[in-house]
Amino acid sequence: MLMDATRASLLIIDVQEKLYPACQEPDQTVANCCFLVKCANRLGVPVLVTEQYPKGLGHTAPEILELVAQNGDGPEGGNVISKVAFSAVPADGFIDKIEENTGRDQVVVVGMETHVCVLQTVMELIERGREVYLVADAVTSRSMHDKIFAIERMRDAGAKIVTRESVMFEWLRVAGTPEFKELSALIK
């Protein structure tokens, strides 16, 4: 039941330039997404990014894309995909292609909006038998009311609700390693 860095991928849903300023706590959400990308980069966890209709909503927050590129999973690596469906699951078989290439069955989900694209993606991933971990402090919506009820619905459907630090410490598993020293320094 624990998150495992060797079984996980990090999915960042639609943290886009024109969308996040309208959401609750946008700076904290972006910062928490960046924190998790740094953890993923250090621990070899693949990072996947979606963009909902980028022509209208812009691209992913540049600070996130910069970190994703360091992972080797930037736009050139094919792990940033545009979509028009709210769920990331049917986006040209994006999730299936990644899982086929990595063999990873755990998906750690962050992004926006919690009650639309995040919720629909999480529900479809659960329906497909994936182990889904929703990072509550790295998702947001325009309305806190929408976020709260969406998280409850996803929990009821089987998503495990976690925080960014839970992800980091479960991925690390032990203290005293160089990875622990580096990543624990990120906690503010």
Side-chain angles (χ1 to χ4, degrees):
M1 295 301 290
L2 293 175
M3 290 172 277
D4 184 334
T6 65
R7 293 178 52 207
S9 58
L10 174 64
L11 175 57
I12 302 170
I13 300 175
D14 309 341
V15 183
Q16 292 167 255
E17 297 166 312
K18 294 181 184 175
L19 181 58
Y20 68 81
C23 290
Q24 300 290 312
E25 302 175 331
D27 295 336
Q28 189 63 47
T29 301
V30 171
N32 288 344
C33 289
C34 287
F35 173 91
L36 289 166
V37 175
K38 289 175 186 176
C39 293
N41 287 351
R42 184 65 175 99
L43 299 171
V45 174
V47 180
L48 323 169
V49 179
T50 65
E51 296 179 339
Q52 178 70 25
Y53 186 63
K55 182 178 178 183
L57 295 175
H59 292 286
T60 301
E63 55 267 55
I64 292 173
L65 282 181
E66 182 179 318
L67 291 168
V68 170
Q70 293 171 14
N71 185 283
D73 294 332
E76 302 80 22
N79 289 358
V80 177
I81 189 167
S82 299
K83 63 183 182 67
V84 292
F86 296 121
S87 172
V89 174
D92 296 326
F94 178 58
I95 300 295
D96 290 331
K97 288 177 193 171
I98 297 304
E99 289 176 350
E100 286 170 14
N101 292 334
T102 65
R104 293 169 185 256
D105 62 339
Q106 293 182 344
V107 185
V108 176
V109 179
V110 301
M112 51 189 63
E113 284 196 76
T114 311
H115 65 295
V116 184
C117 296
V118 172
L119 180 134
Q120 290 185 32
T121 299
V122 165
M123 298 301 246
E124 287 195 28
L125 287 168
I126 291 168
E127 186 176 59
R128 289 175 175 228
R130 304 310 188 267
E131 232 177 275
V132 179
Y133 297 86
L134 179 74
V135 186
D137 55 354
V139 294
T140 190
S141 291
R142 288 169 285 131
S143 158
M144 195 57 70
H145 183 79
D146 286 330
K147 174 183 172 176
I148 291 167
F149 283 100
I151 290 173
E152 286 181 16
R153 183 173 172 202
M154 288 181 275
R155 175 186 287 129
D156 290 347
K160 286 103 176 146
I161 310 304
V162 297
T163 64
R164 71 181 191 135
E165 285 192 30
S166 297
V167 175
M168 182 191 79
F169 286 112
E170 285 182 38
W171 281 353
L172 282 168
R173 286 284 201 262
V174 297
T177 64
E179 294 85 0
F180 173 82
K181 184 175 181 179
E182 181 182 330
L183 295 177
S184 62
L186 298 175
I187 298 173
K188 296 177 182 173

